[in-house]
Amino acid sequence: QVQLVESGGGSMQAGGSLTLACAASGPLLSSIETRSGMCMGFFRQAPGKEREGVATVHTFRGTTYYSDSVKDRFTISQDNAKNTLYLQMNNLKPEDTAMYYCAAARTFTDMNRGNFAGRGMGTQVTVS
């Protein structure tokens, strides 16, 4: 199982930017030698609302998924040397306010269904 720790949350005015980081320990995000990777991404949950998958990337294939609500504003990326995932969030809106969690899963379907191989404790993002 992969252990994940998020950082980078905070408060920001609408229109601003934040970058979340997700440091992974355990399996490597991606291995060229074994041609292996996993689906990693961020989901968010605001009080009284359902979990929303925000962005996911397959760490070996590079395939990405973004929710319609963040497309063209958020960018997911990875640094294999640091075994870290990033979420660059631009043009933040008040509706982006939520607890953001990093998660890993075997497939995009597992990620969307919440069948996580690991997840972090979350970091709060507040946009006013």
Side-chain angles (χ1 to χ4, degrees):
Q1 188 158 352
V2 59
Q3 288 78 46
L4 305 170
V5 178
E6 305 94 338
S7 61
S11 297
M12 179 59 64
Q13 290 189 337
S17 298
L18 281 173
T19 300
L20 304 184
C22 173
S25 59
L28 292 175
L29 293 187
S30 178
S31 172
I32 294 176
E33 288 77 15
T34 62
R35 298 178 62 81
S36 65
M38 65 183 79
C39 288
M40 291 193 66
F42 293 86
F43 68 91
R44 65 188 181 187
Q45 190 157 22
K49 294 188 177 180
E50 291 189 356
R51 182 184 72 241
E52 178 189 12
V54 173
T56 302
V57 62
H58 190 281
T59 58
F60 181 74
R61 302 188 193 112
T63 315
T64 57
Y65 159 84
Y66 293 95
S67 66
D68 288 341
S69 61
V70 307
K71 203 170 291 185
D72 298 326
R73 298 189 298 122
F74 290 11
T75 303
I76 193 168
S77 63
Q78 63 194 82
D79 184 333
N80 291 340
K82 295 182 178 179
N83 225 35
T84 299
L85 193 72
Y86 299 98
L87 184 69
Q88 174 68 41
M89 306 185 293
N90 297 328
N91 190 21
L92 284 163
K93 303 176 180 181
E95 51 263 42
D96 294 320
T97 296
M99 185 72 79
Y100 283 70
Y101 300 87
C102 180
R106 191 176 59 87
T107 67
F108 280 96
T109 299
D110 284 340
M111 183 67 81
N112 289 336
R113 291 178 176 175
N115 296 331
F116 302 132
R119 56 168 281 181
M121 297 297 291
T123 185
Q124 178 69 37
V125 172
T126 302
V127 184
S128 59

